[in-house]
Amino acid sequence: SKCPTQSVYHDGAWAYRFKASAEGKSETVLLSGKGDPGYRFTALGLAETGLCLAGRTPDCVKASAPGGVVTAMAAIDADVFTTRLESVDLVMVEKMPKTAATVVAV
């Protein structure tokens, strides 16, 4: 496969909308970012994850994280990590308003 052009890598943009539901409640979140998601976001996101797990991002590792072998997100404080990714302009997280377009009645 071909790598993205420099223009796409730097000037492109992406967005994904997610809806989560539990116990009769739901939230819709829009994740968006700049640049190519497959190259820019993946590479920088993995680097930020490593920095967090190595203790280089203050308070990023959960104080109550279980010991042993766990997945990265089991050990990472999601709120701290999200704030870090937003602060380095890697991702923007927006809660979507509850409108007729985003709410599905069941």
Side-chain angles (χ1 to χ4, degrees), residues 21-95:
S21 301
E23 300 176 7
K25 298 178 184 177
S26 68
E27 289 287 340
T28 301
V29 177
L30 180 69
L31 301 180
S32 60
K34 298 175 184 175
D36 182 80
Y39 283 83
R40 184 177 185 276
F41 178 80
T42 300
L44 297 176
L46 287 171
E48 289 295 338
T49 302
L51 290 169
C52 172
L53 292 171
R56 300 297 181 124
T57 303
D59 302 317
C60 192
V61 176
K62 292 179 187 173
S64 63
V69 178
V70 296
T71 63
M73 284 312 296
I76 291 175
D77 182 307
D79 292 329
V80 172
F81 192 60
T82 299
T83 300
R84 172 63 185 170
L85 294 180
E86 289 177 324
S87 75
V88 297
D89 205 25
L90 191 56
V91 71
M92 183 165 52
V93 180
E94 299 174 70
K95 282 190 178 178

